[in-house]
Amino acid sequence: MARSHHIDSLNIVMAASEAVPYVKTGGLADVAGALPVELAKLGHTVTLIVPRYRGFQTDGRLLRQLGTIRVKTAKGSVDATLEEELIPVAEGGQSVRVVAVRYDPYFDRAGLYQGPDGDFSDNLARFSFFSRAIVEVMAFLGSSRSEPISVLHLHDWQTALAAVYLKTTERDRAIVGDVRTLLTLHNVGYQGIFPGPQFSETGLPSDLFTLAGLEFYGSVNLLKGGILFADKVSTVSPTYAKEIMSPDGGFGLEGVLAGRRDGVVGIINGIDVGSWDPETDSHLAANYSRTDLSGKAVCKKALQLELGLPNRDVPLIGVIGRLTSQKGFDLLAEIIPELMAVGVQIAILGTGDRVLEDQFQSAKERYPEQISLSLKFDEGRAHRIEAGADMLVMPSRYEPCGLTQLYSLRYGTIPIVRKTGGLADTVIPYRPSTALAGRATGFQFSEVSADSLLATILLALKVYADREMWTSIQQAGMGVNCSWGRSAKLYVEAYRVLQAGG
């Protein structure tokens, strides 16, 4: 911990309902696992608080008992056990302290948020408990350390109530009462909405269950509470920060979000550039780099062989992700016959809506030499499609940040994306001017329609025929900095603004 007490270093507490390598259902876990490490590399003291679920993966490492906290619930106070692990960060002798909150009645279950019959009926009680536990862990850490906590960084609805408690029931409490909070919204489509009569589970005063508080069309809305009470709100791309202020992107919270005086700051997620690196990726048939792309052709041939596609020198389009209409894959399904007519191959990997899965399945049966379909998730194959495909299609209706297009840029696989959220912010669209300046990194379309998607893919195929231009677009994309280091510095700026009272 050599640099942790440096005059400029912050003492950051982060809380999330999931984090790699322990437990994951989505992109939130990637952020909560990677960002603390990057912050520690910058010389800051970082503690990550997570629930101790049954499926908690420790890869043989032992979490040690740290102590016990007393947490209020609607039925009275209970004891929760704290377990900790220190994750070493190579630079500067730093480490990230992970504190897992163990309370088996709420977290010793097969799933994180749901079982076979859907969402757990007591999720409001579970995540009210976790949010209260976050405050208790901060008090526990604060009393055992001389360093005051600089900022509490919360993620999504599962932790949003912690910001509410700190401004209401815990406002006058020593150690924690003055801690400033940042709430990051990963996807405003998920808000933590529960029946109004359950409000008492939160332990908050009843005058907060109003239109000006956590009440939302008669229900309790945890994300709304977090947005109202956090000192600052961020989301995962600058364009998404604007989109959530509109009825299309705000899912009913656009007015609440627009009411934040300081607006909402948008910070793009990073990717793990160690795991996603075509120069060292062990999943690939050959490695390659920005200056020597020859291995990419080897990867394409190996991918065609692996997927049972004929080894032809035709454009190979990759599709990786949830096969849902939110991701716009219904638009792609609509234009399959047109794409088949121009002779391309398509490699699809993912699962999703049954209707879409069936549409792609029948397309594969109709065009077996041009379409490969893997209705599963396979990490190794995802890497090989990123490396072996020529282009990757992401026609999302909305996409807060998106990671797949960042992997594509890194692997010299040209992304074709809809101009929304993080896709708009991370892909510089091909135009004669951007191409000539060597800045274009992919293709964008705006309108949510199969025709717009088709026109953009056809444009990409036309440019693909100009191999010199195509290589220049690949190299521009491979030169983009997608690392977490860049994003971590932007978060530190946001923390410093908070610390200064902004």
Side-chain angles (χ1 to χ4, degrees):
M1 305 290 281
R3 289 186 293 164
S4 65
H5 298 288
H6 187 273
I7 193 154
D8 289 332
S9 83
L10 298 170
N11 183 7
I12 302 153
V13 176
M14 195 173 294
S17 59
E18 54 184 84
V20 296
Y22 303 107
V23 65
K24 172 178 173 171
T25 66
L28 164 63
D30 294 312
V31 176
L35 180 54
V37 171
E38 291 300 328
L39 293 167
K41 284 181 186 174
L42 294 173
H44 303 289
T45 301
V46 190
T47 303
L48 172 65
I49 306 171
V50 287
R52 176 72 147 97
Y53 300 100
R54 181 188 298 172
F56 210 74
Q57 299 295 318
T58 52
D59 296 325
R61 300 186 303 263
L62 285 175
L63 274 75
R64 75 175 192 89
Q65 297 281 319
L66 180 62
T68 305
I69 53 170
R70 196 136 182 87
V71 184
K72 289 178 191 158
T73 75
K75 298 183 178 72
S77 295
V78 298
D79 287 336
T81 307
L82 302 181
E83 300 176 0
E84 78 161 352
E85 181 184 10
L86 295 177
I87 297 178
V89 174
E91 288 84 344
Q94 293 287 88
S95 56
V96 172
R97 185 183 209 179
V98 178
V99 176
V101 177
R102 181 166 208 149
Y103 184 65
D104 289 352
Y106 282 154
F107 301 119
D108 183 18
R109 301 180 185 183
L112 271 60
Y113 315 118
Q114 55 196 186
D117 303 323
D119 289 352
F120 293 128
S121 59
D122 60 350
N123 273 349
L124 179 56
R126 296 173 76 226
F127 291 102
S128 297
F129 171 88
F130 181 54
S131 294
R132 284 170 137 171
I134 291 164
V135 176
E136 297 304 330
V137 172
M138 286 201 303
F140 178 92
L141 295 176
S143 61
S144 63
R145 281 186 166 180
S146 54
E147 275 178 283
I149 294 164
S150 312
V151 66
L152 171 62
H153 187 166
L154 302 166
H155 294 271
D156 277 353
W157 67 265
Q158 294 93 338
T159 61
L161 277 181
V164 184
Y165 294 130
L166 288 173
K167 284 281 191 295
T168 56
T169 57
E170 308 295 325
R171 186 180 57 221
D172 300 322
R173 186 164 169 188
I175 301 171
V176 299
D178 295 329
V179 173
R180 308 277 288 167
T181 53
L182 171 68
L183 172 66
T184 297
L185 315 174
H186 293 265
N187 187 336
V188 178
Y190 300 97
Q191 299 177 4
I193 297 174
F194 300 94
Q198 289 184 19
F199 181 74
S200 60
E201 291 284 358
T202 65
L204 290 165
S206 56
D207 60 6
L208 284 179
F209 188 60
T210 61
L211 190 58
L214 278 72
E215 191 266 333
F216 184 76
Y217 299 101
S219 298
V220 185
N221 187 319
L222 301 192
L223 195 66
K224 181 187 177 190
I227 292 165
L228 288 170
F229 285 90
D231 293 301
K232 193 168 187 65
V233 176
S234 75
T235 189
V236 290
S237 70
T239 296
Y240 189 59
K242 295 188 193 88
E243 289 173 348
I244 58 179
M245 307 280 178
S246 71
D248 276 352
F251 290 92
L253 292 180
E254 56 276 6
V256 181
L257 285 157
R260 287 301 311 237
R261 280 188 323 280
D262 54 356
V264 180
V265 62
I267 299 174
I268 290 278
N269 289 337
I271 59 171
D272 180 345
V273 292
S275 301
W276 292 91
D277 182 354
E279 292 191 51
T280 57
D281 192 334
S282 59
H283 293 291
L284 310 186
N287 294 114
Y288 58 95
S289 69
R290 188 180 177 209
T291 51
D292 179 6
L293 283 159
S294 56
K296 190 160 173 56
V298 180
C299 289
K300 181 174 178 177
K301 282 184 179 168
L303 181 66
Q304 287 170 321
L305 182 67
E306 176 183 346
L307 300 179
L309 294 170
N311 177 218
R312 294 180 188 145
D313 184 17
V314 296
L316 175 54
I317 298 173
V319 173
I320 301 171
R322 281 186 294 118
L323 305 178
T324 64
S325 59
Q326 183 234 306
K327 298 290 185 184
F329 290 131
D330 55 320
L331 307 177
L332 179 66
E334 214 177 302
I335 59 170
I336 292 279
E338 282 79 9
L339 293 176
M340 298 297 95
V342 294
V344 303
Q345 293 177 338
I346 304 179
I348 304 168
L349 173 65
T351 60
D353 297 344
R354 192 61 185 272
V355 173
L356 265 176
E357 286 186 1
D358 290 349
Q359 278 180 284
F360 285 126
Q361 183 66 45
S362 58
K364 172 193 156 74
E365 284 162 14
R366 191 172 167 194
Y367 306 103
E369 299 209 331
Q370 287 176 273
I371 295 178
S372 150
L373 179 65
S374 312
L375 292 173
K376 60 178 178 177
F377 189 73
D378 178 329
E379 182 79 15
R381 184 163 288 180
H383 282 247
R384 290 188 290 278
I385 291 175
E386 288 286 12
D390 296 298
M391 49 200 91
L392 181 123
V393 175
M394 284 183 79
S396 306
R397 280 179 167 76
Y398 77 94
E399 192 68 61
C401 177
L403 296 177
T404 312
Q405 84 280 10
L406 299 179
Y407 302 145
S408 298
L409 290 171
R410 194 143 165 80
Y411 281 64
T413 298
I414 313 274
I416 300 170
V417 302
R418 197 173 91 71
K419 188 179 178 182
T420 183
L423 302 178
D425 293 327
T426 54
V427 176
I428 297 171
Y430 169 87
R431 294 193 187 98
S433 59
T434 56
L436 283 170
R439 290 178 54 245
T441 60
F443 297 82
Q444 283 185 4
F445 65 102
S446 297
E447 192 190 328
V448 180
S449 74
D451 285 347
S452 288
L453 173 59
L454 178 61
T456 308
I457 293 175
L458 293 175
L459 172 62
L461 295 175
K462 190 176 165 191
V463 177
Y464 174 80
D466 178 347
R467 286 308 167 92
E468 197 177 326
M469 175 57 74
W470 192 258
T471 302
S472 128
I473 299 171
Q474 286 178 302
Q475 289 175 327
M478 292 176 85
V480 172
N481 179 2
C482 300
S483 75
W484 264 111
R486 182 181 156 279
S487 309
K489 286 177 183 149
L490 293 171
Y491 276 112
V492 170
E493 281 175 33
Y495 299 155
R496 291 205 190 282
V497 169
L498 270 178
Q499 251 202 322

